[in-house]
Every structure is written in C-alpha cells, then in structure tokens.
Amino acid sequence: MANVKKKLWENNGTISATDGIRASSLNFEKGQRTRHQQKGNGFGSKTKTEPHRQSLNDSLEGDVRAFLIDEETLHTYDDLTKVNPVTPTTVLKCLQARYRVKVFYTHAGCTLVALNPFQPIPHLYSLDVMKEYHFAPQPQEFKPHIFIVAEEAYRNVQGQVEPTDQSLVVSGESGAGKTWTSRCLMKYYATVAASSSSPKCQDTIERIEKRVLDSNPIMEAFGNACTLRNNNSSRFGKYIQLQLNRSQLLVGASVQTYLLEKTRVACQAANERNFHIFYQMMKGATEEQRQEWRMPRDQLFAWLPNADKSLEEDCFKETTDAMKNLGITKEKQGQIFQVLAGLLHLGNVSFCPPTDESQPCNLEEQSKDFLQCTADLLQISEEQLLACLRLRTLRAGKQSVLLKPCSMAECSMRRDCLAKVIYAQVFDWLVTFINRSICADKSSWCNFIGILDVYGFECFTLNNLEQLCINYANEKLQQHFVAHYLKAQQEEYVSEGLKWSFIKYQDNQSCLDLIEGNPTSVFSLLNEECRLNRASDARQFRTRLEKELSNNACMSWDKFSKQPHFTVSHYAGRVSYQIEGMMEKNKDPVPPELIHMLQASHDPLLQGLFAGQNTEESSGRGHSKVVTVVSKFKNSLDSLMKILHSTTPHYTRCIKPNPECRPLTFKKEEVIVQLEACGIVETINISAAGFPIRIPYLSFLQRYGMITNSRICKQSINENGLEPDKNILGPAVADVLDVVLRSHSLDPSKPSETDSCSSLVHCGKTKVFLTHSMLELLEGCRDRVRSQRAFCIQCCWRRYRRRKREAQERAATRIQSVIRGWLVRREVLRWSNAAALIQRTWRKWRTAMEALAEAELDDAANLQEQPPAYDPAVRERGSVQLSSCQEPVLVRGWPLGLALASAPNITVAVTATASGLQKVVSLMACLKLPFRSGEYKVETNQFEQGVASIRAQPRESIKLHLQKSPLLYADTCPGKKGDGVTGFNQILLEKP
C-alpha cells in the first residue's frame, strides 16, 4: 500500500464531480469536529447543528477532561490522529505518557514525532529490528519507528507505479536527535538495500555499504562540535543521496554540504568547543605523532577550550580507520593532521601594540615559538607568515605595491582569516574525496533516497550571521512542510469541491519575505551594504533596516539596547541578531597575500588546495563582483529546495524533551513550544479530518479499473495522448467505488447512522480523495481480483501446457515409431548384406576346399600301396591302432587322418613318387609325424594338442538331421569315446 501513496497524484484531470457519490467534510471549530454529508447533486444537510461558542468551549474542556481522566491508557495512542479531541494538551499528555514508558516514536498523521531519550538504546535499532520492519507485509501495523518511514520511502522507490525519488527530511531543534536519526536511516538503507545472491556482487555491495557508513564519522569529526544545546551539533548542513539501481540495490552515494560554520575554528562561545577533530588529535595521538605535531600532553591551546570534557565523539581511531577505508592513505592523513596542528599553534600567536603607530604590531614573547611551529607545520617561511599577519598590501596602480602596518585587531582578524580559509578548504577537499570514493556512475543508478540533516533552530545570547543563515534554512524547510501538507491540501479540498472549513496554521511566509524577499529584505540590504565601497557601520545599517522593513510584523527592535541589533519572529521563536561584525562576515574577505603565501607552501596538500585560487577575486577590488556568504548560501539552499520539490518528502520531527539533555527527562514547557512551532497539532487535525491520499481519475482507473473490468483507460487514449473524457471517467470511478463499498457492506446507496462511505472517500472534480482505510479496501479488492485473474491465467496456461504436452507426446511417439522402423530396416539390410557376403565367402571357401580335396586324392594314387596285415574289423572302420605296430605301415592318402586320429606318436614309412613327395611331407607335417631318420622335424603352431585331420569329400553323401540349432554347441567340444575317434572324423564315421 505504501507504494501507492503519493505516486498517483501527479496527473491532474479536469473533470466535474460525478453523481451517485456522496462526500463528507469535516468542520473544526475550537477543536470539535462536525461532519457534513453531501450528495452528488451538491445539496447536503448537516447531521449536527453547530453549538454556540460558549457551549463549544465548555464541551471542549469537558471532552479534554474526559479524555485525560484515564492516564493509564494514554501511552497506547501510537497515532495522534486517534486522539479526540486534538488539542495541544491532549497531544502533550500522550507524548509524555509514552515517553514515561520509554516509547520514543509516535505517528502524527503524515509525520513521525521522535523524542530524544538522551541515552543509548541499542535493542531499538538492532539488525533483527531492521529485518522485521523490512520484511513485514504491512510495516504500518507495527509500532511507530523511524524504520517505518524509511521502509515506506524504500517501497515507494520500488513501487509498481513509475518510481519516484524520495527525500527524508529530519527537522528539529539543535539537540533533538537529528544526526542520530540520520545515522540510523543510513544504516537501515545500507542493510536492506545490500542483499544479493551473487557472492561477487555481495562483496561489491558490502564495500559500498562500508564506505557510505564510513563517511559519517569523518563528516561528524570535521563538521560537528559541542555546543550549549547539543554535544554533537552539526555545524553544517548535508544532504546525502543514496543511489539505487533498477534492482533497488545500493550502488553509491553522494554528499552535498551547506554553510560550514568555519568561524568556530577561531572563535568559540563560552562552554562550547571547537570541532571534534582537534580534540580527537589531542586525546588519541601517539607519542610519535605528538612529537611530529609539536603537541605535548600538557600543552594548552587558545582555540581548544574545554579540552578536559570527554565526549563519546572523541574517538580518533574511529576517524582514522574510516579515512583508511575510504582510501585516504596514511601519508595523506599525516598531511591533513599536520595542517590542523599548525592551525592550533596559530591560535596561540598573539600581538601587542607597537610603541610607534607607524610600525607594525609586535609579536608577544611567548608567541614566537608557536609562530615557528606554525611555519614549520604549514611548511612556509616564518618571515613571510609574520609579514602577512602584520602588514597589509595596498595597490596603487598596476605595478606599485604598498605595505601598510595593521592594527592589533586587524592582525588578529588576519590570523583568524588564515585559519578559517585553510580549514574550509580541507573540509571541502574531504567532501570531494568522499564523493569520489562512494559516488557511482550516472549510468549505474536510476533513483535515489535523500536524507537531509541540517542544523537545528538556534537561539543564543549573541547571534550573528551564522545563526541567521541557520534559522533561515529551518524557515525554508518549515515553509516546504507548510506548503506541502498544511496549505496545499486544504486549498485542494476547496478547489475540488469539498466543503471544508480551513484549519488555521502558522504560515511563516512573511518571515521568509523579511529575510529573502524581493526587492527589499534583510539579505538584499546586507548584500548591498557589503558591495558599497565604504567602511561598515552597524548603526547606519540598523537605521536602514528600520526604514525599509518597519512594515513587516516579523521585524522588531529593542530601542533601549545599546548594541545595534534587530529581532526576527521565527516560526520557532524570536531571535535577536547582533549587527556588529555581520557585514564583515558576509564579505568573508581573504587578503591576497595570504593566498600567495599558501600557494608558495612546500606542503603538497596546501599546494593542491590553493593552486587554483584567483587572488584578484579575493582582493578588495571590484566590490560589485563580490559573491557574499548569504548569496552563496541562498543559492545552494534554493537548489536543495528544488530537489525536495521534485521528490516525495517524508518528514520526521525530532523533539528535544529538556534543554539540559538529561536522560528520560520530560519538561512540558520545552516540548509544547516545539509542538506549536512545528505545527504538529495543526498537522494532526488536517490528517485526521481530511483525505491524505489524492489520486487523479485516470490514474485511479489505471490502477483500480480492473475491479470492474473497466476499459476506460484504453478508450481515453487518442492520437494526441491521454485526454480524459468527463462523461466516461466519472461513472467508471463511481462503479469501482460502488463495487468495493458493497463488497465490504458499505453500500453507498444505504447510508448508515453510525458511519457512511462519505467519511472514507470523496470524488472531487478531477481527483478521488481517500483515507488510509479506504485505500486498504481498494488495495485488498484489487489484490483479490488480481489473484482471481492470476488463477484464471494459470488454469488456461496449465490447460494449454497439458494439451501441448499431449500433442508433443503423440508427435514424439510417431517420430519414435518411424525412427524405429527405419532403424530395423537399416539393420535388416545390413544383415542381408552380411549374409550375402558370408555366402559368397563360404562358396569361395567350399570351392577351394573341394579343389584341395580332389588334389589330395589325386596325389594319394602315387603312393605305394601294400596290403596291411591287420584285423579286418579295423580295416573296415578305416582306422588302425598303430601304437603297437613295430613295422612300417603303408597308409593311403585320404584315410590317413581317420587311421591316425588317435595315435599320439607314430612312425610311418612313406614311399612316394618324386612328384608326390612334397605333398607327403606337407601331410606329415600337418599330422606332426616325425621322420624316422631324424633329418626332418616339422613343428606347427596350429595345434599343441588335439586332433588333426584331412578334409576330404566322402564317397557317399552325408545327411545331418538336427532338432536344434548347432550354434548352441559351438563352444562345446565333442566327447571322447573309447575307440579314440573324435572331432570331425567322428561325424564322418557315424552312419546316417
């Protein structure tokens, strides 16, 4: 819901009020509310009659007493808009009750009120609390906290509508806790905007987060100081832009500063201190650093008052560690601290009047060592430094230069000026270095969240130009709040047709006109006085102010005061400003000889700081071109206000419970003044009575038109762009509201006696005005419609996916069957080709074997046959047991394998013809038959054991009848029988 607020309010339409929608307005008279109901035709009737003023006062007092009678429940009001009646007394009592039970944050309509506890409360800002608020669906339902404001701004950046830059304005008096609040906001964003799943990206974000957080202690050390109202008072204004990419991750930051109070370096009020960095150096430096900086522990410095006062901010190591993390090298740190040490020694340089007025002032005896230390630390010539402090350069023409001795006051002023210009340049260098270190490229970020921490409203015994500028900045911020919340809202209610009785509020526009108005104002007269080529006269300037600005009610004077001054009635109170010295501070002159001296320094830091300085601009010539302090401050503040106007602001009002800064001490007089000055009561009244959310018709339909399935947005677009149609948008908006109200039993056609829809919504001429509760109803209804449509889309998508998956399965099955058929056909074809190849090879082999067998039979005829003298049975079988034969045996050629199948060792005498001898030898070698003579011994590598046979075609046909495939017995050896006939010979001898 948070991303809708303030997002859809930009595009204004021009539409008349629509019929059928009733409106309500709230009339406040002495704190009492009266409600009016208005129908669409413009006629309405009061539901309550307005009582007389006396009865109103009595009734109001009675309501206040009735509300305050139960004090035990006052601390439960976490939103002051729930207080009834809303008066300064009831608001103050609620804040006091909550402060008593240690509850420091309270909602006040569109703002958050933060009470300073003046003591550390770590558990209130722990990491677990940050995650709790960040991951909450509705952070507004949690207890009031600064993290709610931070989370609302963060969600607005990542809203569904076009993202808008956000600004968090932290305002309040000095010591109210603005700096601490800004520090908590930076820590929150550095935590929630730094989550990433990628380890490499996480390391980058953590480095950026650390650099952004490390910029805080550096800026506070060099820009904050202890004042009468605050131990850690910001003496400059800063606007920190946290840069986010499209994923809302923190990728960088930038710091813009406004009006550093550099006069504090050389001038501190009673019971106040200089900037923190000087005390950190004195208390945290090592012995080696002390010797280098000429700063012994017992040394007293005039510009270091109240050095014995210890503060939490006096932590030198934290500052140096932060500088190191930002990339400031140890060498560069040494140069910075050496220059600052030289400024402390410069503060102890004092002068005494000379005996002769024509001679320059004399240097006091105890100041000589400090002058020498200053020259050594700044690496400049001691003689040149002394001359620049005591002699003033005058130019007579373009060439001639005259040296005029300065008075003792002028010497002190030149010494202070030297210190201020050096410190201001060092501070600006630090800001520039920090920006270079933490700022991201413009292409890497698209939105930012700005945190504004400025000096609070100040009123001291003596107030000068610094306090005038500080209070002027607070007036500008107050006017921005008034214009944004108090004034603009009420004027818009009237222009949109709501019956509205204006709630009075304190408008500080007249005070701003007094300070910065045209053609005549304090600033314009001050600048004009500074540009005149004459000596400054405080009384003359006061007389001119009385003459030009006496008609402004915010300006007054004390006629009995001896000191020239003027009093301004600010929104937070009256402040009297001393005129003496105001013109000199506004001119802020820097003698050119001081710039020349610093440019000639051997210190690399000072050379870099003043290398680009133009001494002609720093001189006293050309007064019409002088840029004064108030002019520069006004221009920078105007640029800041432009940024604030271009962003969605979120206000946090810091309240200081007591002026002594004591823990958990609540002083009603101190708080009530701040509440009235900030307009908290008026803000609560307007927030409670009005409609904080205003959405143009077209934007409303673009977001909530889906509730009624409205197509008005598309119809309202023509060739010229978006042109809202008065006759279309109004009824469409009424239909959407009617559906939402009916769904929550809030039928607009049936008004209720207790409450009606008119208190929730009102349709104006061009906008829809909503309360937070009505916005929640709209968002809830929109979420339900989106959920239903998402469910419908999911169903259609699942049905489509299922059908597509089924079609894909059928297609895959068909493809698989085709591929399988193709694979089978290819395999069968391969088998066929292989079978044909085998057949061809077999036929070739069989032909070769037949030829071989025939050749062997032909060769066997040449052998000498001798009839064997053996058993006829053996002869009939075709095999002879030769193992027992002692005589040579004559064997025929082809049955030789059959006869000798089982004979392991035989001796055969073969008689062969000359032509068949070779065949016989080959045959004997195959059968492994050794020759008797021993002359020939043939060994084969074909068979080590087993049976060798001669393949010969039998004389008769052989038929094999197999019941099973012979391949089953391919790896089986035939059995060995007792007759010794095995192998293929056995198959041949078996009868068919």
Side-chain angles (χ1 to χ4, degrees):
M1 182 183 69
N3 56 6
V4 185
K5 301 174 185 177
K6 309 181 186 71
K7 285 289 187 177
L8 302 170
W9 305 346
E10 302 298 333
N11 300 324
N12 296 326
T14 57
I15 304 174
S16 60
T18 59
D19 296 337
I21 300 298
R22 294 179 292 110
S24 74
S25 62
L26 298 176
N27 184 13
F28 284 84
E29 187 72 26
K30 293 294 184 180
Q32 184 180 9
R33 306 178 191 177
T34 60
R35 178 171 294 160
H36 301 270
Q37 293 182 349
Q38 179 189 7
K39 295 186 177 180
N41 54 11
F43 297 96
S45 60
K46 281 190 177 181
T47 59
K48 290 185 180 180
T49 59
E50 183 179 357
H52 296 290
R53 185 176 302 275
Q54 184 64 32
S55 61
L56 276 175
N57 293 336
D58 297 339
S59 175
L60 179 59
E61 293 178 1
D63 292 342
V64 172
R65 288 194 298 269
F67 178 78
L68 299 178
I69 194 171
D70 190 5
E71 295 185 359
E72 296 180 356
T73 61
L74 293 180
H75 70 277
T76 61
Y77 288 88
D78 55 358
D79 193 341
L80 296 178
T81 57
K82 301 176 183 178
V83 175
N84 191 15
V86 179
T87 64
T89 303
T90 56
V91 172
L92 180 65
K93 286 292 185 180
C94 289
L95 291 177
Q96 185 179 12
R98 293 175 65 81
Y99 194 75
R100 187 181 301 115
V101 296
K102 297 183 179 181
V103 179
F104 309 107
Y105 291 103
T106 307
H107 290 299
C110 55
T111 64
L112 180 71
V113 177
L115 294 170
N116 193 345
F118 292 113
Q119 68 177 14
I121 307 179
H123 68 274
L124 193 60
Y125 309 97
S126 63
L127 183 62
D128 295 335
V129 176
M130 294 182 187
K131 293 181 178 179
E132 182 180 3
Y133 280 92
H134 178 58
F135 294 107
Q138 294 292 338
Q140 292 81 4
E141 298 177 358
F142 284 46
K143 294 181 180 179
H145 202 286
I146 186 61
F147 293 158
I148 293 181
V149 180
E151 183 63 24
E152 181 180 2
Y154 186 69
R155 295 189 182 187
N156 280 355
V157 172
Q158 57 182 181
Q160 297 177 0
V161 191
E162 183 180 358
T164 304
D165 299 330
Q166 307 292 308
S167 290
L168 287 85
V169 182
V170 184
S171 60
E173 291 192 8
S174 179
K178 300 184 301 300
T179 300
W180 172 259
T181 302
S182 301
R183 192 186 304 173
C184 293
L185 289 172
M186 289 185 62
K187 180 62 178 177
Y188 181 82
Y189 287 124
T191 301
V192 304
S195 59
S196 178
S197 57
S198 175
K200 183 178 180 180
C201 184
Q202 180 67 25
D203 295 339
T204 303
I205 292 175
E206 287 180 357
R207 185 175 68 256
I208 295 173
E209 170 195 356
K210 187 171 181 58
R211 287 188 174 185
V212 171
L213 295 180
D214 284 335
S215 65
N216 254 342
I218 299 176
M219 301 294 287
E220 292 183 10
F222 284 83
N224 291 14
C226 176
T227 64
L228 295 175
R229 300 176 62 85
N230 187 7
N231 289 339
N232 190 29
S233 177
S234 298
R235 308 320 301 164
F236 71 105
K238 62 176 178 289
Y239 184 69
I240 303 174
Q241 289 184 345
L242 303 178
Q243 300 161 349
L244 306 176
N245 60 9
R246 296 187 182 275
S247 301
Q248 281 72 51
L249 295 179
L250 183 65
V251 296
S254 65
V255 182
Q256 301 179 22
T257 59
Y258 306 94
L259 190 66
L260 174 69
E261 190 188 20
K262 59 184 179 181
T263 57
R264 183 168 292 269
V265 177
C267 180
Q268 304 84 30
N271 297 324
E272 290 191 351
R273 301 204 318 174
N274 208 326
F275 291 103
H276 292 322
I277 186 62
F278 294 108
Y279 299 91
Q280 292 178 2
M281 293 172 57
M282 281 294 296
K283 298 179 180 181
T286 62
E287 293 299 330
E288 181 181 357
Q289 290 174 332
R290 292 181 183 278
Q291 293 179 3
E292 181 182 357
W293 301 336
R294 316 279 184 89
M295 295 172 58
R297 293 184 179 273
D298 56 349
Q299 181 63 57
L300 298 178
F301 294 99
W303 288 351
L304 213 61
N306 302 314
D308 54 342
K309 185 177 182 180
S310 297
L311 297 179
E312 182 183 357
E313 290 75 19
D314 296 340
C315 185
F316 186 59
K317 188 177 186 306
E318 181 181 359
T319 303
T320 55
D321 291 344
M323 296 173 72
K324 179 181 178 181
N325 295 333
L326 282 177
I328 303 177
T329 61
K330 190 174 182 180
E331 179 183 1
K332 186 62 68 175
Q333 292 182 33
Q335 296 174 5
I336 294 173
F337 297 137
Q338 180 175 329
V339 170
L340 297 183
L343 298 185
L344 288 180
H345 287 282
L346 181 63
N348 284 3
V349 176
S350 57
F351 301 89
C352 58
T355 57
D356 187 0
E357 295 182 357
S358 61
Q359 297 298 322
C361 295
N362 297 324
L363 189 66
E364 293 186 357
E365 188 66 26
Q366 65 272 16
S367 299
K368 294 182 180 179
D369 294 338
F370 293 109
L371 184 68
Q372 179 64 41
C373 293
T374 302
D376 294 342
L377 293 173
L378 299 182
Q379 299 187 26
I380 56 180
S381 171
E382 181 181 359
E383 294 76 10
Q384 186 179 7
L385 174 60
L386 184 60
C388 289
L389 295 179
R390 298 193 304 170
L391 299 175
R392 182 158 53 108
T393 302
L394 298 178
R395 291 186 177 274
K398 296 183 179 180
Q399 299 294 333
S400 59
V401 176
L402 301 178
L403 298 179
K404 180 181 178 180
C406 299
S407 63
M408 190 171 64
E410 290 177 341
C411 292
S412 300
M413 185 186 68
R414 294 168 74 87
R415 176 200 59 195
D416 297 347
C417 180
L418 178 62
K420 290 188 294 183
V421 71
I422 291 176
Y423 191 84
Q425 290 293 328
V426 171
F427 184 82
D428 292 341
W429 181 89
L430 282 172
V431 174
T432 304
F433 188 92
I434 290 174
N435 285 331
R436 286 202 305 264
S437 177
I438 65 178
C439 188
D441 294 334
K442 182 60 179 178
S443 58
S444 63
W445 62 276
C446 55
N447 295 103
F448 68 86
I449 298 178
I451 302 176
L452 179 62
D453 177 22
V454 297
Y455 10 58
F457 186 85
E458 293 182 348
C459 180
F460 300 113
T461 304
L462 297 177
N463 303 281
N464 209 290
L465 183 64
E466 293 82 11
Q467 281 67 43
L468 178 61
C469 293
I470 289 172
N471 295 339
Y472 163 67
N474 283 270
E475 289 283 354
K476 293 284 286 187
L477 294 176
Q478 177 65 15
Q479 178 60 26
H480 179 268
F481 175 78
V482 168
H484 188 79
Y485 285 110
L486 304 183
K487 183 178 181 180
Q489 286 190 16
Q490 298 190 85
E491 291 179 351
E492 190 174 21
Y493 292 156
V494 176
S495 64
E496 289 291 330
L498 278 77
K499 287 188 176 180
W500 182 265
S501 296
F502 274 88
I503 298 174
K504 294 182 178 180
Y505 57 89
Q506 184 179 358
D507 191 356
N508 63 335
Q509 185 60 47
S510 60
C511 183
L512 283 176
D513 293 339
L514 171 67
I515 299 176
E516 65 168 3
N518 285 322
T520 305
S521 63
V522 174
F523 279 177
S524 63
L525 294 176
L526 185 60
N527 289 335
E528 183 179 348
E529 188 71 20
C530 293
R531 291 189 178 100
L532 294 176
N533 191 10
R534 66 183 183 187
S536 301
D537 189 347
R539 295 188 180 277
Q540 184 178 359
F541 182 66
R542 179 184 181 277
T543 303
R544 192 174 183 191
L545 289 176
E546 289 181 358
K547 179 181 178 181
E548 300 289 344
L549 304 174
S550 58
N551 295 330
N552 195 306
C554 295
M555 174 78 82
S556 61
W557 296 268
D558 184 6
K559 296 181 179 180
F560 300 100
S561 176
K562 297 181 180 181
Q563 296 294 334
H565 75 284
F566 61 93
T567 303
V568 178
S569 297
H570 293 282
Y571 76 97
R574 296 166 59 86
V575 180
S576 180
Y577 299 98
Q578 304 297 321
I579 301 179
E580 190 68 40
M582 186 173 289
M583 279 76 74
E584 287 76 9
K585 290 185 177 182
N586 188 36
K587 294 177 183 178
D588 193 22
V590 179
E593 51 267 26
L594 295 181
I595 302 299
H596 284 301
M597 178 186 64
L598 294 174
Q599 290 175 344
S601 172
H602 297 287
D603 185 81
L605 177 62
L606 292 178
Q607 287 182 355
L609 294 178
F610 295 93
Q613 291 285 342
N614 189 356
T615 57
E616 295 298 330
E617 295 181 359
S618 302
S619 64
R621 301 175 62 87
H623 293 280
S624 59
K625 298 181 181 181
V626 173
V627 180
T628 60
V629 171
V630 296
S631 297
K632 292 188 292 186
F633 182 65
K634 184 178 181 299
N635 292 335
S636 61
L637 199 57
D638 288 341
S639 64
L640 172 64
M641 300 311 297
K642 289 181 181 179
I643 296 176
L644 294 181
H645 283 294
S646 64
T647 61
T648 301
H650 304 265
Y651 271 87
T652 300
R653 295 290 192 182
C654 296
I655 302 297
K656 188 176 183 180
N658 63 86
E660 295 82 12
C661 302
R662 291 199 299 265
L664 298 178
T665 302
F666 191 94
K667 288 190 176 182
K668 295 183 291 185
E669 298 80 4
E670 182 77 12
V671 176
I672 194 65
V673 172
Q674 298 177 59
L675 293 178
E676 293 176 350
C678 297
I680 294 295
V681 178
E682 293 84 354
T683 303
I684 297 171
N685 279 328
I686 295 176
S687 300
F691 301 93
I693 302 163
R694 307 174 299 280
I695 308 176
Y697 278 178
L698 186 59
S699 298
F700 181 87
L701 289 176
Q702 286 176 346
R703 185 168 183 84
Y704 302 109
M706 64 176 63
I707 296 177
T708 58
N709 199 19
S710 176
R711 301 182 182 274
I712 302 300
C713 299
K714 296 181 180 179
Q715 297 176 3
S716 62
I717 299 177
N718 54 23
E719 297 179 355
N720 297 328
L722 293 177
E723 292 292 340
D725 190 351
K726 299 179 181 179
N727 300 324
I728 298 177
L729 294 182
V733 172
D735 293 340
V736 173
L737 295 175
D738 183 71
V739 170
V740 175
L741 295 175
R742 286 179 184 276
S743 64
H744 291 83
S745 300
L746 293 174
D747 189 354
S749 62
K750 298 178 181 180
S752 173
E753 295 181 357
T754 58
D755 196 5
S756 66
C757 68
S758 59
S759 62
L760 301 177
V761 60
H762 173 72
C763 291
K765 296 179 180 179
T766 62
K767 296 181 180 180
V768 181
F769 294 84
L770 307 171
T771 60
H772 290 284
S773 58
M774 186 62 194
L775 182 65
E776 291 177 359
L777 295 180
L778 283 169
E779 286 294 315
C781 189
R782 179 176 181 269
D783 291 340
R784 286 192 298 271
V785 171
R786 293 179 66 190
S787 178
Q788 294 172 0
R789 296 189 178 186
F791 179 74
C792 181
I793 293 173
Q794 289 174 356
C795 292
C796 296
W797 174 251
R798 292 191 183 102
R799 183 166 56 250
Y800 165 75
R801 289 294 301 272
R802 184 178 65 252
R803 293 175 179 175
K804 183 178 180 181
R805 184 168 56 252
E806 292 174 354
Q808 289 176 347
E809 289 178 355
R810 291 194 299 268
T813 303
R814 184 174 300 176
I815 293 172
Q816 288 174 358
S817 62
V818 172
I819 291 178
R820 289 193 185 100
W822 177 77
L823 290 176
V824 170
R825 288 193 298 271
R826 190 183 68 172
E827 190 68 17
V828 170
L829 181 61
R830 190 174 65 86
W831 290 350
S832 178
N833 296 333
L837 179 63
I838 292 173
Q839 289 175 358
R840 289 194 302 269
T841 306
W842 167 253
R843 290 188 186 101
K844 292 179 180 180
W845 178 81
R846 188 176 61 181
T847 302
M849 289 298 102
E850 289 176 354
L852 179 62
E854 292 176 357
E856 290 177 350
L857 291 176
D858 293 341
D859 294 340
N862 298 327
L863 299 176
Q864 296 179 3
E865 298 184 1
Q866 296 180 2
Y870 297 103
D871 190 357
V874 176
R875 183 184 303 171
E876 183 180 359
R877 291 182 59 186
S879 61
V880 181
Q881 297 289 338
L882 301 178
S883 60
S884 60
C885 296
Q886 300 296 330
E887 297 295 331
V889 179
L890 182 64
V891 185
R892 291 180 182 275
W894 79 265
L896 184 60
L898 301 178
L900 304 178
S902 60
N905 294 311
I906 60 175
T907 303
V908 180
V910 180
T911 303
T913 60
S915 61
L917 180 59
Q918 186 177 3
K919 292 287 186 180
V920 172
V921 174
S922 176
L923 177 64
M924 294 178 66
C926 293
L927 298 177
K928 298 194 295 187
L929 300 177
F931 292 89
R932 175 183 298 175
S933 62
E935 296 179 0
Y936 298 96
K937 183 177 180 181
V938 181
E939 295 182 0
T940 66
N941 58 356
Q942 299 179 1
F943 304 96
E944 295 297 329
Q945 294 179 356
V947 178
S949 64
I950 298 175
R951 296 176 179 82
Q953 184 174 5
R955 295 179 180 179
E956 298 180 357
S957 62
I958 299 175
K959 296 182 179 180
L960 301 176
H961 299 278
L962 303 175
Q963 295 180 355
K964 297 182 180 179
S965 173
L967 297 178
L968 299 176
Y969 306 97
D971 58 347
T972 305
C973 298
K976 188 174 183 181
K977 295 184 178 181
D979 54 7
V981 181
T982 60
F984 190 73
N985 295 329
Q986 181 183 359
I987 298 175
L988 296 177
L989 294 176
E990 287 181 354
K991 293 181 179 182

